[in-house]
Amino acid sequence: MNLKTVLILLVLALATILALVCVLLTRREKPTSCESQTQSGQEDKSRDHSLVFADLTPEEMVQVVRYLRENLGVPLVDASQAKPSDNCIYYIDVQLPTKAEVLQFLDRGGVLPPRQALAVVYFGNQPDPNITEYVVGPLPSPKTHRDFTMQKYGGKLPFHRRPVTEKEYKDIDSFISEEFSKAESFLRYCCDYDGTNFAALTTAPRGFQSGDRATWFVLFQDVYGSGLYVHPVGLEVLVNHSSLDMSQWRVSKVFYNGQYYGDMAQLQREFEQGHVSVVKVRKVSPEEEFGSMKPRAGPGAPGPFQYEPRGPRYSIQGNHVVFQAWSFAFGVDVNAGPRLFDIRFKGDRIVYELSLQEALALYGSNCPGGMVTRYMDGSFGIGKFTYELVRGVDCPYTATYLDRHYLIESETPRANKNSLCIFEHDTAIPLRRHYSNFQSLYYGGLTKAALVFRSISTLINYDYTWDFIFYQNGAIEVKVHATGYISSSFLYDTGIDYGNQVGERTLGTMHNHLINYKVDLDVAGLKNSLVAQDMVFELVQAPWSPQHQIQRPRLTKKVLEKENQAAFPLHSNIPRYLHFASNQENRWNHQRSYRIQLVSFAGDHLPEVSSMERSISWARYKLAVTKRKEDEPRSTSIYNQNDPWKPTVAFADFVDNETITNEDLVAWVSVGFLHVPHAEDIPNTVTVGNGVGFLLRPYNYFDEDPSRDSSDSVYFRADQDPSKCEVNHVACLSKTASCSPALPPFTYSGFQNLSSV
C-alpha cells in the first residue's frame, strides 16, 4: 500500500469520525416527533379558571331549551318555523358573571360563580308583543329563570325592535315573488326574469321613525357560483312588513331606473303605456367572468410554506391558550363576535376583557336602498356568521382549527366547524435587531414571531377577518381586514357622485366602515388613570451661547381626570401617547402603564343632527375612556338596528363626565376606513390597504424589554463563528428543523356546517 492510498484512507476515516461526532452532538437537539413542544411547566395554572368565560356547550343549550319549554307557560314555536305572531326562542348564549364575582374566584380563592345562560325570547303571540331576556340557571341543569329585561335596559323591549329572522326574510322573499306576478311582462322585458333568477338584498334601518318596519329590498341577478352583489337590475322594492299578520304586508313603493312608483301594478301600467325608461339587463350566465372568483389560470408551483419545526409552541385546553409568557381565555358572542378574557403576560393580568362590539357600514347612493343603508352588523350576527375556515388560505395550513357551537333562530344547537384558528406566525421582519460596525463588532436580533387568534365573519357580501395578535415584547395588536364583495347600486344619472362605475350598469357605492372594540385594561391592578403625553417646541437660549436660540422639543404630560376629557371625537387631534397608568412604579420610578395606539383612516361620522345618530354614537369617538360599570357592558345593542330613532343603548350616555382617575377604566376604541369602490374591487375587495386596528403596548410597565428573555434571540460577535450551533441556534436549523410536518388532509364541510350537532 503506497503513501497516497494511506493518506486517502486516513482522510476518509477522519471524515467518518467527524460525521459521527456531529450526529452525537446534534441528536439531543432533534425532536422525536412534530408534536407540540410546549413544556407542561409553561401551562398556566389558571387554565381551569378560564371555564368561567367559556361559551355554552351544546348540551347546556339543549337543557336551557328544555327548561324554557317546560317553564315559560306559553307555547313556543321553533324560530326556524315561527311567524311574527308566534312565540319563539330567538337565541341562547352564556350569561357571564360580574367582574367582581370572577375576580373573587380567580384572584382571591372564592367559589366558582354559578354558570348561567341568557335566553332571548320573542313573544309575538301576546296582547302586548315584546322581546324578553331571561337569565336561566344554574347550568348544566337549570332550575330557575328571571326576567332580566328591566334590569338590563330600564324598560320593556318593543317588538318592532327585534332583529329580522331568516324565516321572516324567506316569507318576505315569497311575498315579493308574488308581487312580481303583477308586472310579469315588464320584468321579462327588462331583465329576462323567469321567476327564479332574482335575489333580494335587505337594507337597514327600516323606515324613518320608531315603530317603522318597512325595508327597501334591492334586486340583483342571482348568479350561481358568482357574486350576485355586482349584478343589480335597477329595481328596488319597499316592503312594509310591520304587521304581525303577514296577509297585511304591503309594497309601499317601487323604484326603477331613477323613477318611483306606487307599487308593482303601477309600474306595469306605466310600462304598458310606454312611460317607463327601460334599460334592458342581459341575463347573466354561470360562465360570466364579471364578478366571478373562478381562477383564470391553472395551479402553479406552491407558494411559501410555514410550519413549526418542532410542533406548535402554544397549547390549547378548552377555551384557554398559553403561548410563551402569554395566556388568555376566548369565546365568541353569537351577535358581537370574538372576545378574549383574562389576558396575562408572565402571570400578570393586563386585560380583563378585549371584545369586538360592533361593525358599521354606512352607504351613499342615488338609489334608495343604497342611500338609507346603515348596517349594524351585530344585529345580523357577527358571531353567528363565523363559518368554516379554508385551510391554507384563510389561515396557515398547519394552524390549529377549532369548532364553535351556537343556538340562534332554532331550538337545536348548530356547529360551525373549524371556524376559529390559532397559529404562531413568522412576520418576516425582526422584532428588534442591531448590527454594530462601530467600536466592537457584533450582531443581535430577534424574530418577530407572534401568536394569532383569528375568526372570519361573512356578513352578506362582506368578509371581515378579526385578528388578535400577541408579541413577545408584551404588546397586543388588534386588527380587522375587510374583503369580500362590494355592495352596488344600479348606475343611472349622477351615480358617479356616490362612487365609481365598475361594470356595465354597476355603481360601486361609497361607504364608511367603522368598528368598535371594548378594552377593559387592568394595568397592575384595577385602579388606573389615563395619562396623555405629547410634545411642544420651546424657545430657549443656548446656555453656552446666549445670543443664539434653540427650538427645543419638550415633553408634555397631563392626567385626564374626567370622561369628557377622555372622549376624543373621530377626527380630532389626539395626544400621541395615551396610556393607562397604574399606581405602581417600575425600577426607574415611572408609573407602570400600557399605551393605546390607533391605526385608522375612517370617513366622517353621521352628523349628530341625524335622528338615528345616537344609536351609533360610539362612532363619534376614535377613543373614549369611561369608568367601568356592570350596567354598561356593551357600546350598542342588537335592537338598535331596527329602532335607531329610540336606541335601546346609546353610547353617548356613557360619557357623562365622571371622574376617571384611580378607577377601573374601559377604553372604547373605534377604527375604520372610507371605501370608495373602484375597478380593482372586481371581483373582490382585497385586504391590502384595507386593514385597521390598534395596539396595546407596554409603556414603562417593565424595567426593560421582556423579549430579552426569548430563546429565539440571536447574538454573536466578530470573534465568534456564527455558523456553529453553540454560538447561533439558527445555524443548526438544517439539523434541528428536520422534522417535516405530517400534514393533515385537506377537508372542508363549510356548506354543511349548519347541520345539527
Side-chain angles (χ1 to χ4, degrees), residues 530 558 560-569 572 620-621 623-627 651-660:
L530 186 66
K558 182 179 182 181
L560 306 182
E561 298 181 345
K562 298 289 186 177
E563 289 179 340
N564 288 19
Q565 293 176 288
F568 299 95
S572 66
R620 293 180 189 176
Y621 312 104
L623 173 68
V625 176
T626 64
K627 183 177 178 180
F651 179 78
D653 295 339
F654 292 14
V655 183
D656 53 2
N657 215 30
E658 289 191 79
T659 298
I660 55 170

Short mmCIF file of all heavy atoms in Angstrom, two decimals, residues 530 558 560-569 572 620-621 623-627 651-660:
data_model
loop_
_atom_site.label_atom_id
_atom_site.label_comp_id
_atom_site.label_asym_id
_atom_site.label_seq_id
_atom_site.Cartn_x
_atom_site.Cartn_y
_atom_site.Cartn_z
N LEU A 530 -55.80 57.75 33.19
CA LEU A 530 -55.44 57.96 31.79
C LEU A 530 -54.49 59.15 31.71
O LEU A 530 -54.82 60.26 32.13
CB LEU A 530 -56.69 58.22 30.95
CG LEU A 530 -56.45 58.32 29.44
CD1 LEU A 530 -55.99 56.98 28.88
CD2 LEU A 530 -57.71 58.79 28.73
N LYS A 558 -50.18 65.17 30.97
CA LYS A 558 -51.41 65.59 31.63
C LYS A 558 -52.23 64.37 32.01
O LYS A 558 -52.41 63.46 31.20
CB LYS A 558 -52.23 66.50 30.71
CG LYS A 558 -53.51 67.03 31.33
CD LYS A 558 -54.26 67.94 30.38
CE LYS A 558 -55.52 68.50 31.03
NZ LYS A 558 -56.27 69.38 30.10
N LEU A 560 -55.76 62.99 32.51
CA LEU A 560 -57.13 63.33 32.11
C LEU A 560 -58.08 62.85 33.20
O LEU A 560 -58.24 61.66 33.42
CB LEU A 560 -57.45 62.69 30.76
CG LEU A 560 -56.46 63.01 29.63
CD1 LEU A 560 -56.89 62.37 28.33
CD2 LEU A 560 -56.31 64.52 29.46
N GLU A 561 -58.70 63.79 33.87
CA GLU A 561 -59.41 63.46 35.10
C GLU A 561 -60.88 63.14 34.91
O GLU A 561 -61.50 62.50 35.77
CB GLU A 561 -59.27 64.62 36.09
CG GLU A 561 -57.82 64.90 36.49
CD GLU A 561 -57.71 66.03 37.49
OE1 GLU A 561 -58.70 66.78 37.64
OE2 GLU A 561 -56.64 66.17 38.11
N LYS A 562 -61.47 63.58 33.79
CA LYS A 562 -62.90 63.39 33.58
C LYS A 562 -63.16 62.67 32.26
O LYS A 562 -62.37 62.76 31.31
CB LYS A 562 -63.62 64.75 33.57
CG LYS A 562 -63.52 65.53 34.87
CD LYS A 562 -64.37 64.90 35.97
CE LYS A 562 -64.39 65.76 37.22
NZ LYS A 562 -65.26 65.20 38.28
N GLU A 563 -64.31 61.99 32.20
CA GLU A 563 -64.65 61.26 30.98
C GLU A 563 -64.73 62.17 29.76
O GLU A 563 -64.33 61.78 28.66
CB GLU A 563 -65.98 60.52 31.18
CG GLU A 563 -65.89 59.33 32.12
CD GLU A 563 -67.22 58.63 32.31
OE1 GLU A 563 -68.28 59.27 32.04
OE2 GLU A 563 -67.23 57.47 32.74
N ASN A 564 -65.25 63.36 29.94
CA ASN A 564 -65.37 64.26 28.79
C ASN A 564 -64.01 64.63 28.21
O ASN A 564 -63.89 64.86 27.00
CB ASN A 564 -66.13 65.53 29.19
CG ASN A 564 -67.61 65.26 29.40
OD1 ASN A 564 -68.02 64.11 29.60
ND2 ASN A 564 -68.42 66.30 29.38
N GLN A 565 -63.00 64.70 29.07
CA GLN A 565 -61.65 64.98 28.58
C GLN A 565 -61.07 63.80 27.81
O GLN A 565 -60.19 63.97 26.97
CB GLN A 565 -60.71 65.30 29.75
CG GLN A 565 -61.01 66.58 30.50
CD GLN A 565 -60.07 66.73 31.68
OE1 GLN A 565 -60.18 66.03 32.68
NE2 GLN A 565 -59.12 67.65 31.55
N ALA A 566 -61.58 62.61 28.12
CA ALA A 566 -61.03 61.38 27.54
C ALA A 566 -61.88 60.84 26.40
O ALA A 566 -61.72 59.68 26.00
CB ALA A 566 -60.90 60.32 28.64
N ALA A 567 -62.78 61.65 25.87
CA ALA A 567 -63.62 61.26 24.73
C ALA A 567 -63.15 62.09 23.54
O ALA A 567 -63.43 63.29 23.46
CB ALA A 567 -65.09 61.51 25.03
N PHE A 568 -62.46 61.44 22.62
CA PHE A 568 -61.82 62.15 21.52
C PHE A 568 -62.65 61.97 20.25
O PHE A 568 -62.77 60.85 19.73
CB PHE A 568 -60.41 61.62 21.30
CG PHE A 568 -59.52 61.81 22.49
CD1 PHE A 568 -59.34 60.80 23.42
CD2 PHE A 568 -58.87 63.02 22.70
CE1 PHE A 568 -58.53 60.97 24.52
CE2 PHE A 568 -58.05 63.21 23.80
CZ PHE A 568 -57.89 62.19 24.72
N PRO A 569 -63.23 63.07 19.74
CA PRO A 569 -64.04 62.97 18.51
C PRO A 569 -63.25 62.33 17.37
O PRO A 569 -62.01 62.39 17.33
CB PRO A 569 -64.38 64.43 18.21
CG PRO A 569 -64.36 65.10 19.55
CD PRO A 569 -63.25 64.43 20.30
N SER A 572 -60.64 64.47 15.56
CA SER A 572 -59.92 65.48 16.35
C SER A 572 -58.48 65.04 16.52
O SER A 572 -58.11 63.90 16.29
CB SER A 572 -60.58 65.62 17.72
OG SER A 572 -60.43 64.41 18.46
N ARG A 620 -68.89 58.44 17.28
CA ARG A 620 -68.45 59.84 17.40
C ARG A 620 -66.98 59.92 17.76
O ARG A 620 -66.31 60.92 17.49
CB ARG A 620 -69.23 60.56 18.51
CG ARG A 620 -70.70 60.76 18.28
CD ARG A 620 -71.31 61.48 19.48
NE ARG A 620 -72.76 61.53 19.43
CZ ARG A 620 -73.53 62.03 20.39
NH1 ARG A 620 -72.95 62.52 21.49
NH2 ARG A 620 -74.84 62.04 20.26
N TYR A 621 -66.50 58.88 18.45
CA TYR A 621 -65.19 58.95 19.08
C TYR A 621 -64.24 57.92 18.50
O TYR A 621 -64.60 56.76 18.30
CB TYR A 621 -65.32 58.69 20.59
CG TYR A 621 -66.40 59.49 21.26
CD1 TYR A 621 -67.61 58.90 21.63
CD2 TYR A 621 -66.22 60.85 21.52
CE1 TYR A 621 -68.61 59.64 22.24
CE2 TYR A 621 -67.22 61.60 22.13
CZ TYR A 621 -68.42 60.98 22.49
OH TYR A 621 -69.41 61.71 23.09
N LEU A 623 -61.66 57.31 20.34
CA LEU A 623 -61.36 56.70 21.63
C LEU A 623 -62.15 57.42 22.70
O LEU A 623 -62.19 58.66 22.73
CB LEU A 623 -59.86 56.80 21.94
CG LEU A 623 -59.42 56.34 23.34
CD1 LEU A 623 -59.61 54.85 23.50
CD2 LEU A 623 -57.96 56.72 23.61
N ALA A 624 -62.79 56.64 23.54
CA ALA A 624 -63.46 57.20 24.72
C ALA A 624 -63.15 56.29 25.90
O ALA A 624 -63.29 55.07 25.80
CB ALA A 624 -64.96 57.30 24.49
N VAL A 625 -62.71 56.89 26.99
CA VAL A 625 -62.39 56.13 28.19
C VAL A 625 -63.42 56.48 29.26
O VAL A 625 -63.63 57.67 29.57
CB VAL A 625 -60.97 56.43 28.68
CG1 VAL A 625 -60.68 55.71 30.00
CG2 VAL A 625 -59.95 56.02 27.62
N THR A 626 -64.05 55.45 29.80
CA THR A 626 -65.10 55.66 30.80
C THR A 626 -64.82 54.81 32.03
O THR A 626 -64.05 53.84 31.97
CB THR A 626 -66.49 55.29 30.24
OG1 THR A 626 -66.53 53.89 29.95
CG2 THR A 626 -66.81 56.09 28.99
N LYS A 627 -65.46 55.19 33.09
CA LYS A 627 -65.42 54.37 34.30
C LYS A 627 -66.20 53.09 34.06
O LYS A 627 -67.31 53.12 33.53
CB LYS A 627 -66.03 55.16 35.46
CG LYS A 627 -65.99 54.46 36.80
CD LYS A 627 -66.56 55.37 37.89
CE LYS A 627 -66.58 54.68 39.23
NZ LYS A 627 -67.14 55.57 40.28
N PHE A 651 -74.57 54.94 23.39
CA PHE A 651 -73.25 55.05 24.00
C PHE A 651 -72.96 56.47 24.49
O PHE A 651 -72.23 56.65 25.47
CB PHE A 651 -72.16 54.64 22.99
CG PHE A 651 -70.78 54.77 23.55
CD1 PHE A 651 -70.27 53.82 24.42
CD2 PHE A 651 -69.98 55.87 23.24
CE1 PHE A 651 -69.00 53.95 24.95
CE2 PHE A 651 -68.71 56.00 23.77
CZ PHE A 651 -68.22 55.04 24.63
N ALA A 652 -73.54 57.47 23.84
CA ALA A 652 -73.29 58.85 24.25
C ALA A 652 -73.61 59.07 25.73
O ALA A 652 -73.00 59.93 26.38
CB ALA A 652 -74.11 59.81 23.39
N ASP A 653 -74.53 58.27 26.26
CA ASP A 653 -74.89 58.41 27.67
C ASP A 653 -73.80 57.88 28.60
O ASP A 653 -73.81 58.17 29.80
CB ASP A 653 -76.20 57.68 27.96
CG ASP A 653 -77.38 58.29 27.22
OD1 ASP A 653 -77.29 59.47 26.83
OD2 ASP A 653 -78.39 57.59 27.01
N PHE A 654 -72.89 57.07 28.08
CA PHE A 654 -71.80 56.56 28.91
C PHE A 654 -70.83 57.68 29.28
O PHE A 654 -70.19 57.63 30.33
CB PHE A 654 -71.00 55.48 28.16
CG PHE A 654 -71.74 54.18 27.91
CD1 PHE A 654 -73.10 54.08 28.07
CD2 PHE A 654 -71.03 53.05 27.51
CE1 PHE A 654 -73.76 52.88 27.82
CE2 PHE A 654 -71.68 51.86 27.27
CZ PHE A 654 -73.04 51.77 27.42
N VAL A 655 -70.70 58.65 28.39
CA VAL A 655 -69.73 59.73 28.59
C VAL A 655 -70.43 60.86 29.34
O VAL A 655 -71.01 61.77 28.76
CB VAL A 655 -69.18 60.22 27.24
CG1 VAL A 655 -68.12 61.30 27.45
CG2 VAL A 655 -68.61 59.07 26.43
N ASP A 656 -70.42 60.78 30.66
CA ASP A 656 -71.17 61.74 31.48
C ASP A 656 -70.27 62.44 32.50
O ASP A 656 -70.71 62.81 33.59
CB ASP A 656 -72.35 61.06 32.17
CG ASP A 656 -71.94 59.82 32.96
OD1 ASP A 656 -70.73 59.51 33.01
OD2 ASP A 656 -72.83 59.16 33.53
N ASN A 657 -69.00 62.59 32.13
CA ASN A 657 -68.06 63.42 32.88
C ASN A 657 -67.77 62.92 34.29
O ASN A 657 -67.43 63.71 35.18
CB ASN A 657 -68.52 64.88 32.93
CG ASN A 657 -67.34 65.84 32.89
OD1 ASN A 657 -66.30 65.52 32.30
ND2 ASN A 657 -67.49 67.00 33.51
N GLU A 658 -67.84 61.63 34.49
CA GLU A 658 -67.44 61.08 35.78
C GLU A 658 -65.92 61.12 35.92
O GLU A 658 -65.18 61.20 34.94
CB GLU A 658 -67.95 59.64 35.92
CG GLU A 658 -69.45 59.54 36.09
CD GLU A 658 -69.87 58.14 36.47
OE1 GLU A 658 -69.74 57.78 37.67
OE2 GLU A 658 -70.33 57.39 35.58
N THR A 659 -65.47 61.02 37.14
CA THR A 659 -64.04 61.01 37.43
C THR A 659 -63.43 59.69 36.98
O THR A 659 -63.99 58.61 37.22
CB THR A 659 -63.80 61.19 38.93
OG1 THR A 659 -64.31 62.46 39.33
CG2 THR A 659 -62.32 61.12 39.26
N ILE A 660 -62.28 59.77 36.32
CA ILE A 660 -61.62 58.56 35.82
C ILE A 660 -60.18 58.46 36.31
O ILE A 660 -59.35 57.81 35.67
CB ILE A 660 -61.67 58.51 34.28
CG1 ILE A 660 -61.07 59.77 33.65
CG2 ILE A 660 -63.07 58.25 33.78
CD1 ILE A 660 -60.87 59.67 32.15
#
